[in-house]
């Protein structure tokens, strides 16, 4: 497969209210402006996050699992199937991806479309966790924003396995940790980066947080 695209940092005329918590972020709407701004924290309890996860109908934006930083992407990459030219998952990353998928299964979290950036680390993260992946640059290019603003068209959650930079460019710092997910609720049906877009990040879920969520699982 030859894809001549790389994850790019794209500028959106938007402001995104963005705050942090161990598992949760405040609700935030993307509105016309140039930069994101921090807002007071709104922490969701684990039980509420679990309820949202088990209900489906949202988007989980993942940064790929842990990688070997001694390796470098040799840009431009002409063939994304050639993992030798890229930074790849390390042993812990492969373990974490499998554990994430197992948490989804044990918690009964429904999964719909699984979209992965064409890099080996993202495709492998998706396949190890969810057993499948539709490879697409929509995981990081201009098509990402409409995906985040729209509700999934299929049952379950939409999974996007991507990188750190694309979400930074939409909502500002801090970057997601490797293997971490942002739970996103779409609020609109944006089709152009020049129109008003809206979505909420309702929680951050790190790799270690899946164990905490399984501890409150009522099933």
């Amino acid at each position: 497969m030859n894809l001549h695209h790389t994850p790019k940092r794209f500028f959106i005329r938007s402001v995104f209210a963005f705050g942090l918590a161990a598992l949760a972020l405040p609700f935030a709407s993307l509105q016309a402006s140039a930069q994101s701004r921090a807002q007071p924290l709104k922490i969701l309890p684990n039980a509420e996050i679990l309820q949202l996860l088990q209900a489906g109908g949202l988007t989980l934006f993942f940064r790929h699992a842990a990688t070997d930083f001694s390796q470098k992407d040799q840009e431009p990459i002409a063939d994304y199937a050639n993992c030798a030219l890229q930074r790849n998952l390390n042993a812990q990353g492969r373990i974490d991806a499998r554990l994430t998928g197992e948490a989804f299964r044990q918690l009964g979290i429904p999964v719909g479309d699984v979209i992965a950036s064409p890099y080996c680390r993202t495709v492998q993260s998706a396949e190890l966790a969810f057993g499948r992946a539709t490879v697409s640059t929509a995981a990081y290019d201009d098509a990402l924003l409409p995906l985040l603003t729209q509700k999934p068209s299929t049952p379950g959650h939409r999974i996007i396995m991507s990188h750190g930079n694309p979400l930074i460019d939409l909502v500002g710092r801090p970057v997601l940790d490797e293997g971490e997910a942002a739970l996103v609720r779409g609020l609109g049906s944006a089709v152009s980066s020049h129109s008003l877009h809206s979505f909420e990040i309702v929680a951050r879920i790190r790799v270690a947080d899946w164990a905490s969520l399984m501890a409150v699982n009522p099933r």
Side-chain angles (χ1 to χ4, degrees), residues 105-208:
R105 289 183 285 276
Q106 289 191 25
L107 293 170
I109 300 171
V111 175
D113 294 333
V114 178
I115 302 168
S117 159
Y119 283 70
C120 288
R121 57 185 177 270
T122 44
V123 174
Q124 291 172 3
S125 293
E127 291 179 341
L128 288 170
F130 306 108
R132 56 193 168 89
T134 297
V135 178
S136 173
T137 59
Y140 59 72
D141 65 15
D142 290 340
L144 173 61
L145 186 56
L147 283 177
L148 295 177
T149 62
Q150 297 167 3
K151 294 181 179 180
S153 58
T154 58
H157 294 294
R158 177 191 293 121
I159 305 295
I160 300 176
M161 190 65 69
S162 187
H163 308 265
N165 287 344
L167 198 61
I168 291 178
D169 291 321
L170 291 178
V171 303
R173 291 188 178 275
V175 64
L176 295 176
D177 295 334
E178 290 188 319
E180 185 176 2
L183 184 60
V184 177
R185 176 187 288 120
L187 301 176
S189 57
V191 295
S192 166
S193 62
H194 302 291
S195 61
L196 181 65
H197 307 285
S198 187
F199 63 93
E200 300 172 334
I201 296 182
V202 298
R204 282 177 65 183
I205 307 173
R206 299 176 175 87
V207 173

Side-chain angles (χ1 to χ4, degrees), residues 14-48:
S14 312
V15 63
F16 204 92
F18 188 72
L20 295 174
L23 274 177
L25 292 177
F27 291 144
S29 293
L30 195 65
Q31 300 175 347
S33 183
Q35 297 189 14
S36 60
R37 320 235 170 165
Q39 295 293 331
L41 302 180
K42 179 175 181 178
I43 299 173
L44 297 180
N46 286 1
E48 188 171 341

